Amino acid sequence: MINVVLFGPPGSGKGTQAVKMAEKYDLLHISTGDLFRNAIKNETEMGLKAKAFMDKGNLVPDEVTIGMMNAVIEENPGVHGIIFDGFPRTVTQAEALDAFLNARNTPISRMLALDVTDEELVKRLLNRGKDSGRPDDKDVEIIQNRIDVYNAQTLPVAGFYKEQNKLKHIKGEGTIEEIFGRICAELDSAV
Ligand code: AMP
């Protein structure tokens, strides 16, 4: 079983790469952002709660996010492994994930961190906002807030996995295939 945290700022290409990884390595792809967007579309209670935070580019509270993640993992027993895309985004979430996975003897194998410059991120997100239909990709101020939130609340999560010798940096610029090749090289050495 291989469990991978795909880490990086908004716009670093996590979603694109996670889909390719899931296909090649037969892994379950869990994107907390996609789960929240679905909940909003289906107008669930959780969706309504999450929307207020997402629209501003802030994080949805830990207890909501952790509860949702634990439920999804429990609903999918017997998978080859999981790619965590957009989770954990706080050290509290990382601690909760470790506790949950370690209790099942299926710990995180690697954190792969996609490195992209801030300038490139804003460019990519505004570009994506033209046709993604995501309100949080359309407004430069909300994008900047998401990057600020990442730097303040999410970046410490890299330190959490670095202490466990699980962090690997991947250059997140270049073509999709070039970046995927770097990810595969890391994963192939991990399995
Ligand atoms: P993403 O699709 O990963 O860019 O996430 C979009 C938005 O969903 C974020 O800006 C947050 O508001 C919310 N979100 C996604 N994942 C998390 C998480 N792990 N913790 C808190 N909020 C999250």
Side-chain angles (χ1 to χ4, degrees):
M1 180 137 179
I2 173 159
N3 288 325
V4 182
V5 174
L6 191 56
F7 190 73
S12 57
K14 298 186 295 294
T16 305
Q17 296 296 336
V19 168
K20 293 173 74 66
M21 291 160 70
E23 195 188 1
K24 174 164 178 180
Y25 295 94
D26 190 18
L27 303 172
L28 175 68
H29 170 203
I30 307 179
S31 155
T32 40
D34 284 350
L35 291 172
F36 285 134
R37 280 183 288 277
N38 264 333
I40 291 172
K41 203 167 74 192
N42 296 328
E43 298 180 349
T44 67
E45 202 181 312
M46 188 185 68
L48 291 176
K49 214 185 268 180
K51 189 176 186 316
F53 296 94
M54 290 173 75
D55 281 351
K56 296 195 182 84
N58 292 325
L59 295 183
V60 178
D62 280 337
E63 60 274 17
V64 177
T65 312
I66 292 167
M68 175 176 76
M69 176 54 74
N70 290 353
V72 176
I73 296 172
E74 266 182 344
E75 281 159 16
N76 288 278
V79 292
H80 283 128
I82 302 174
I83 304 165
F84 295 93
D85 163 8
F87 183 95
R89 258 173 156 104
T90 64
V91 171
T92 303
Q93 291 179 15
E95 286 167 349
L97 182 65
D98 257 18
F100 197 78
L101 293 179
N102 290 343
R104 285 160 180 73
N105 284 319
T106 55
I108 291 296
S109 324
R110 282 276 189 287
M111 168 186 266
L112 302 181
L114 295 172
D115 295 333
V116 180
T117 61
D118 279 8
E119 203 185 3
E120 172 73 13
L121 293 177
V122 176
K123 207 165 73 187
R124 285 190 195 177
L125 288 169
L126 283 173
N127 219 10
R128 183 169 83 184
K130 284 183 200 154
D131 48 29
S132 71
R134 281 181 58 167
D136 58 347
D137 283 346
K138 284 203 165 72
D139 181 315
V140 180
E141 271 178 37
I142 293 173
I143 289 176
Q144 192 54 53
N145 186 45
R146 288 163 65 201
I147 295 173
D148 293 346
V149 164
Y150 172 82
N151 286 329
Q153 298 183 55
T154 304
L155 213 45
V157 177
F160 179 87
Y161 289 101
K162 186 167 188 232
E163 271 174 27
Q164 299 184 27
N165 283 322
K166 291 179 178 172
L167 172 65
K168 295 280 173 193
H169 284 277
I170 306 273
K171 191 177 158 212
E173 298 190 27
T175 67
I176 290 173
E177 289 308 325
E178 280 165 354
I179 300 164
F180 187 55
R182 292 174 202 138
I183 289 175
C184 292
E186 273 305 332
L187 285 185
D188 290 343
S189 71
V191 290

Short mmCIF file of all heavy atoms in Angstrom, two decimals, residues 10-11 14 31-34 36-37 50 53-62 65-66 68-69 85-90 93 125 128 134 136-137 146 149, ligand 1:
data_model
loop_
_atom_site.label_atom_id
_atom_site.label_comp_id
_atom_site.label_asym_id
_atom_site.label_seq_id
_atom_site.Cartn_x
_atom_site.Cartn_y
_atom_site.Cartn_z
N PRO A 10 -1.83 26.56 -4.13
CA PRO A 10 -2.91 26.55 -5.11
C PRO A 10 -2.34 26.87 -6.50
O PRO A 10 -1.55 27.81 -6.63
CB PRO A 10 -3.87 27.65 -4.64
CG PRO A 10 -3.24 28.32 -3.48
CD PRO A 10 -2.07 27.53 -3.05
N GLY A 11 -2.70 26.09 -7.49
CA GLY A 11 -2.21 26.35 -8.84
C GLY A 11 -0.91 25.63 -9.16
O GLY A 11 -0.35 25.79 -10.25
N LYS A 14 -1.49 20.14 -8.55
CA LYS A 14 -1.77 18.92 -7.78
C LYS A 14 -2.89 18.09 -8.43
O LYS A 14 -2.76 16.89 -8.60
CB LYS A 14 -2.19 19.25 -6.34
CG LYS A 14 -1.12 19.96 -5.52
CD LYS A 14 -1.56 20.11 -4.06
CE LYS A 14 -2.77 21.00 -3.84
NZ LYS A 14 -2.57 22.43 -4.17
N SER A 31 -9.54 14.41 -3.35
CA SER A 31 -9.31 15.85 -3.36
C SER A 31 -10.34 16.51 -2.46
O SER A 31 -11.54 16.43 -2.73
CB SER A 31 -9.46 16.39 -4.79
OG SER A 31 -9.82 17.77 -4.77
N THR A 32 -9.88 17.11 -1.38
CA THR A 32 -10.84 17.74 -0.46
C THR A 32 -11.55 18.92 -1.14
O THR A 32 -12.73 19.15 -0.91
CB THR A 32 -10.15 18.20 0.85
OG1 THR A 32 -8.88 18.76 0.54
CG2 THR A 32 -9.98 17.04 1.80
N GLY A 33 -10.83 19.63 -2.01
CA GLY A 33 -11.46 20.75 -2.75
C GLY A 33 -12.61 20.24 -3.60
O GLY A 33 -13.71 20.82 -3.60
N ASP A 34 -12.39 19.12 -4.32
CA ASP A 34 -13.46 18.55 -5.16
C ASP A 34 -14.63 18.07 -4.29
O ASP A 34 -15.80 18.25 -4.65
CB ASP A 34 -12.94 17.34 -5.96
CG ASP A 34 -12.08 17.76 -7.14
OD1 ASP A 34 -12.03 18.96 -7.46
OD2 ASP A 34 -11.43 16.87 -7.75
N PHE A 36 -15.56 19.27 -1.42
CA PHE A 36 -16.33 20.45 -0.97
C PHE A 36 -17.15 21.04 -2.12
O PHE A 36 -18.31 21.41 -1.92
CB PHE A 36 -15.39 21.52 -0.40
CG PHE A 36 -14.86 21.20 0.98
CD1 PHE A 36 -13.51 21.37 1.28
CD2 PHE A 36 -15.71 20.77 1.99
CE1 PHE A 36 -13.02 21.09 2.54
CE2 PHE A 36 -15.23 20.49 3.27
CZ PHE A 36 -13.87 20.65 3.54
N ARG A 37 -16.55 21.11 -3.32
CA ARG A 37 -17.30 21.67 -4.46
C ARG A 37 -18.53 20.81 -4.78
O ARG A 37 -19.60 21.34 -5.10
CB ARG A 37 -16.40 21.83 -5.69
CG ARG A 37 -15.52 23.10 -5.63
CD ARG A 37 -14.68 23.30 -6.87
NE ARG A 37 -13.60 22.35 -6.95
CZ ARG A 37 -12.40 22.48 -6.34
NH1 ARG A 37 -12.16 23.56 -5.61
NH2 ARG A 37 -11.47 21.56 -6.47
N ALA A 50 -19.07 25.07 4.13
CA ALA A 50 -17.77 25.22 3.48
C ALA A 50 -17.73 26.43 2.54
O ALA A 50 -16.71 27.11 2.43
CB ALA A 50 -17.43 23.95 2.69
N PHE A 53 -16.31 29.86 3.57
CA PHE A 53 -14.85 29.92 3.71
C PHE A 53 -14.18 29.90 2.34
O PHE A 53 -13.26 30.68 2.07
CB PHE A 53 -14.35 28.74 4.56
CG PHE A 53 -14.86 28.77 5.97
CD1 PHE A 53 -16.01 28.08 6.33
CD2 PHE A 53 -14.21 29.53 6.94
CE1 PHE A 53 -16.49 28.12 7.63
CE2 PHE A 53 -14.68 29.58 8.24
CZ PHE A 53 -15.82 28.87 8.59
N MET A 54 -14.65 29.02 1.48
CA MET A 54 -14.02 28.85 0.16
C MET A 54 -14.13 30.11 -0.68
O MET A 54 -13.19 30.49 -1.37
CB MET A 54 -14.65 27.68 -0.58
CG MET A 54 -14.29 26.35 0.05
SD MET A 54 -15.16 24.99 -0.68
CE MET A 54 -14.30 24.80 -2.23
N ASP A 55 -15.30 30.76 -0.63
CA ASP A 55 -15.50 31.96 -1.45
C ASP A 55 -14.48 33.05 -1.13
O ASP A 55 -14.14 33.86 -1.98
CB ASP A 55 -16.92 32.51 -1.25
CG ASP A 55 -17.94 31.71 -2.05
OD1 ASP A 55 -17.53 30.87 -2.87
OD2 ASP A 55 -19.16 31.93 -1.84
N LYS A 56 -14.01 33.07 0.12
CA LYS A 56 -13.04 34.10 0.51
C LYS A 56 -11.60 33.61 0.34
O LYS A 56 -10.66 34.37 0.56
CB LYS A 56 -13.26 34.48 1.98
CG LYS A 56 -14.61 35.13 2.26
CD LYS A 56 -14.57 35.79 3.65
CE LYS A 56 -15.89 36.41 4.02
NZ LYS A 56 -16.84 35.42 4.59
N GLY A 57 -11.45 32.33 0.03
CA GLY A 57 -10.10 31.79 -0.10
C GLY A 57 -9.51 31.36 1.23
O GLY A 57 -8.31 31.18 1.37
N ASN A 58 -10.39 31.22 2.25
CA ASN A 58 -9.92 30.76 3.57
C ASN A 58 -10.12 29.25 3.70
O ASN A 58 -10.87 28.65 2.93
CB ASN A 58 -10.69 31.47 4.68
CG ASN A 58 -10.34 32.94 4.73
OD1 ASN A 58 -9.20 33.33 4.48
ND2 ASN A 58 -11.32 33.78 5.05
N LEU A 59 -9.47 28.65 4.70
CA LEU A 59 -9.61 27.22 4.92
C LEU A 59 -10.92 26.90 5.62
O LEU A 59 -11.35 27.63 6.52
CB LEU A 59 -8.44 26.68 5.77
CG LEU A 59 -7.05 26.76 5.14
CD1 LEU A 59 -6.03 26.12 6.09
CD2 LEU A 59 -7.00 26.08 3.78
N VAL A 60 -11.53 25.80 5.23
CA VAL A 60 -12.70 25.27 5.93
C VAL A 60 -12.17 24.74 7.28
O VAL A 60 -11.06 24.21 7.35
CB VAL A 60 -13.33 24.12 5.09
CG1 VAL A 60 -14.51 23.49 5.80
CG2 VAL A 60 -13.73 24.64 3.70
N PRO A 61 -12.95 24.93 8.38
CA PRO A 61 -12.43 24.52 9.70
C PRO A 61 -11.98 23.06 9.75
O PRO A 61 -12.55 22.19 9.10
CB PRO A 61 -13.63 24.75 10.63
CG PRO A 61 -14.44 25.80 9.94
CD PRO A 61 -14.25 25.58 8.46
N ASP A 62 -10.93 22.83 10.55
CA ASP A 62 -10.32 21.50 10.65
C ASP A 62 -11.32 20.39 10.98
O ASP A 62 -11.27 19.31 10.39
CB ASP A 62 -9.21 21.50 11.73
CG ASP A 62 -7.92 22.11 11.22
OD1 ASP A 62 -7.70 22.12 9.99
OD2 ASP A 62 -7.11 22.56 12.05
N THR A 65 -13.25 19.32 7.94
CA THR A 65 -12.40 18.71 6.91
C THR A 65 -11.90 17.33 7.35
O THR A 65 -11.93 16.37 6.57
CB THR A 65 -11.21 19.65 6.62
OG1 THR A 65 -11.71 20.97 6.43
CG2 THR A 65 -10.47 19.22 5.38
N ILE A 66 -11.47 17.23 8.60
CA ILE A 66 -10.94 15.96 9.10
C ILE A 66 -12.05 14.90 9.15
O ILE A 66 -11.86 13.75 8.74
CB ILE A 66 -10.30 16.15 10.50
CG1 ILE A 66 -9.04 16.99 10.37
CG2 ILE A 66 -9.99 14.80 11.17
CD1 ILE A 66 -8.48 17.53 11.70
N MET A 68 -14.70 14.75 7.31
CA MET A 68 -15.04 14.35 5.93
C MET A 68 -13.98 13.37 5.41
O MET A 68 -14.32 12.33 4.82
CB MET A 68 -15.08 15.61 5.05
CG MET A 68 -15.29 15.31 3.58
SD MET A 68 -15.45 16.82 2.61
CE MET A 68 -13.74 17.35 2.52
N MET A 69 -12.69 13.67 5.65
CA MET A 69 -11.62 12.81 5.15
C MET A 69 -11.69 11.42 5.78
O MET A 69 -11.62 10.40 5.08
CB MET A 69 -10.27 13.47 5.45
CG MET A 69 -9.07 12.64 5.08
SD MET A 69 -9.10 12.10 3.36
CE MET A 69 -8.70 13.62 2.50
N ASP A 85 -4.89 14.88 -2.12
CA ASP A 85 -4.70 16.09 -2.93
C ASP A 85 -5.40 17.25 -2.22
O ASP A 85 -6.63 17.26 -2.13
CB ASP A 85 -5.29 15.79 -4.32
CG ASP A 85 -5.56 17.01 -5.19
OD1 ASP A 85 -5.16 18.13 -4.80
OD2 ASP A 85 -6.19 16.84 -6.25
N GLY A 86 -4.61 18.18 -1.71
CA GLY A 86 -5.21 19.33 -1.01
C GLY A 86 -5.48 19.05 0.46
O GLY A 86 -6.18 19.81 1.13
N PHE A 87 -4.94 17.99 0.97
CA PHE A 87 -5.10 17.58 2.38
C PHE A 87 -3.86 16.79 2.77
O PHE A 87 -3.41 15.96 1.97
CB PHE A 87 -6.35 16.71 2.53
CG PHE A 87 -6.64 16.29 3.95
CD1 PHE A 87 -7.53 17.02 4.74
CD2 PHE A 87 -6.02 15.17 4.51
CE1 PHE A 87 -7.79 16.64 6.05
CE2 PHE A 87 -6.27 14.80 5.82
CZ PHE A 87 -7.16 15.53 6.59
N PRO A 88 -3.26 16.98 3.93
CA PRO A 88 -3.61 17.94 4.98
C PRO A 88 -3.09 19.36 4.65
O PRO A 88 -2.04 19.52 4.05
CB PRO A 88 -2.88 17.38 6.20
CG PRO A 88 -1.76 16.54 5.68
CD PRO A 88 -2.19 16.04 4.34
N ARG A 89 -3.85 20.34 5.09
CA ARG A 89 -3.50 21.74 4.85
C ARG A 89 -3.15 22.48 6.14
O ARG A 89 -2.85 23.67 6.09
CB ARG A 89 -4.68 22.45 4.18
CG ARG A 89 -4.52 22.67 2.67
CD ARG A 89 -5.84 23.22 2.18
NE ARG A 89 -5.79 23.98 0.98
CZ ARG A 89 -6.20 23.52 -0.21
NH1 ARG A 89 -6.58 22.28 -0.36
NH2 ARG A 89 -6.23 24.33 -1.24
N THR A 90 -3.26 21.80 7.27
CA THR A 90 -2.81 22.38 8.55
C THR A 90 -2.09 21.25 9.30
O THR A 90 -2.32 20.07 9.01
CB THR A 90 -4.00 22.85 9.43
OG1 THR A 90 -4.79 21.69 9.78
CG2 THR A 90 -4.86 23.88 8.74
N GLN A 93 -4.52 18.89 10.83
CA GLN A 93 -5.03 17.88 9.89
C GLN A 93 -4.00 16.77 9.69
O GLN A 93 -4.34 15.59 9.59
CB GLN A 93 -5.36 18.52 8.53
CG GLN A 93 -6.56 19.44 8.55
CD GLN A 93 -6.86 20.10 7.20
OE1 GLN A 93 -6.35 19.67 6.16
NE2 GLN A 93 -7.67 21.14 7.21
N LEU A 125 -3.54 30.48 -12.11
CA LEU A 125 -4.88 30.48 -11.50
C LEU A 125 -5.83 31.41 -12.26
O LEU A 125 -6.98 31.05 -12.50
CB LEU A 125 -4.79 30.89 -10.03
CG LEU A 125 -4.17 29.83 -9.12
CD1 LEU A 125 -3.88 30.40 -7.74
CD2 LEU A 125 -5.08 28.62 -8.99
N ARG A 128 -6.79 29.59 -15.33
CA ARG A 128 -7.75 28.53 -15.03
C ARG A 128 -9.14 29.12 -14.77
O ARG A 128 -10.15 28.55 -15.15
CB ARG A 128 -7.26 27.74 -13.80
CG ARG A 128 -8.13 26.56 -13.44
CD ARG A 128 -7.45 25.69 -12.39
NE ARG A 128 -7.64 26.18 -11.05
CZ ARG A 128 -7.08 25.62 -9.97
NH1 ARG A 128 -6.28 24.59 -10.08
NH2 ARG A 128 -7.31 26.09 -8.76
N ARG A 134 -14.68 28.26 -11.35
CA ARG A 134 -14.41 28.39 -9.91
C ARG A 134 -14.33 29.86 -9.53
O ARG A 134 -13.44 30.56 -10.00
CB ARG A 134 -13.09 27.69 -9.57
CG ARG A 134 -13.22 26.21 -9.46
CD ARG A 134 -11.92 25.57 -9.08
NE ARG A 134 -11.36 26.07 -7.83
CZ ARG A 134 -10.36 25.50 -7.19
NH1 ARG A 134 -9.82 24.40 -7.68
NH2 ARG A 134 -9.90 26.00 -6.07
N ASP A 136 -13.28 31.19 -6.90
CA ASP A 136 -12.05 31.55 -6.19
C ASP A 136 -10.83 31.65 -7.11
O ASP A 136 -9.74 31.96 -6.66
CB ASP A 136 -11.79 30.58 -5.02
CG ASP A 136 -11.66 29.11 -5.45
OD1 ASP A 136 -12.01 28.79 -6.60
OD2 ASP A 136 -11.19 28.31 -4.62
N ASP A 137 -11.01 31.39 -8.41
CA ASP A 137 -9.91 31.54 -9.38
C ASP A 137 -10.03 32.82 -10.20
O ASP A 137 -9.24 33.06 -11.10
CB ASP A 137 -9.90 30.36 -10.38
CG ASP A 137 -9.31 29.09 -9.79
OD1 ASP A 137 -8.68 29.16 -8.73
OD2 ASP A 137 -9.49 28.04 -10.42
N ARG A 146 -5.44 33.10 -0.92
CA ARG A 146 -5.20 31.65 -0.88
C ARG A 146 -3.70 31.37 -0.77
O ARG A 146 -3.30 30.44 -0.06
CB ARG A 146 -5.80 30.98 -2.12
CG ARG A 146 -7.32 30.94 -2.06
CD ARG A 146 -7.93 30.66 -3.41
NE ARG A 146 -7.61 29.35 -3.93
CZ ARG A 146 -7.69 29.03 -5.22
NH1 ARG A 146 -8.04 29.94 -6.12
NH2 ARG A 146 -7.40 27.82 -5.61
N VAL A 149 -2.67 32.28 2.80
CA VAL A 149 -3.14 31.25 3.73
C VAL A 149 -2.24 30.03 3.62
O VAL A 149 -1.86 29.42 4.62
CB VAL A 149 -4.63 30.88 3.43
CG1 VAL A 149 -5.03 29.56 4.09
CG2 VAL A 149 -5.57 32.00 3.86
P1 AMP B 1 -8.51 23.31 -3.77
O1 AMP B 1 -9.45 22.74 -4.79
O2 AMP B 1 -7.61 22.26 -3.17
O3 AMP B 1 -7.76 24.50 -4.28
O4 AMP B 1 -9.42 23.83 -2.55
C1 AMP B 1 -10.36 24.86 -2.74
C2 AMP B 1 -10.80 25.40 -1.39
O5 AMP B 1 -11.41 24.36 -0.62
C3 AMP B 1 -9.68 25.93 -0.50
O6 AMP B 1 -9.33 27.28 -0.81
C4 AMP B 1 -10.33 25.80 0.88
O7 AMP B 1 -11.27 26.83 1.10
C5 AMP B 1 -11.11 24.50 0.75
N1 AMP B 1 -10.26 23.34 1.14
C6 AMP B 1 -9.80 22.33 0.34
N2 AMP B 1 -9.06 21.46 1.05
C7 AMP B 1 -9.04 21.91 2.32
C8 AMP B 1 -8.43 21.46 3.52
N3 AMP B 1 -7.67 20.35 3.54
N4 AMP B 1 -8.62 22.18 4.65
C9 AMP B 1 -9.39 23.29 4.65
N5 AMP B 1 -9.97 23.79 3.55
C10 AMP B 1 -9.82 23.12 2.39
#
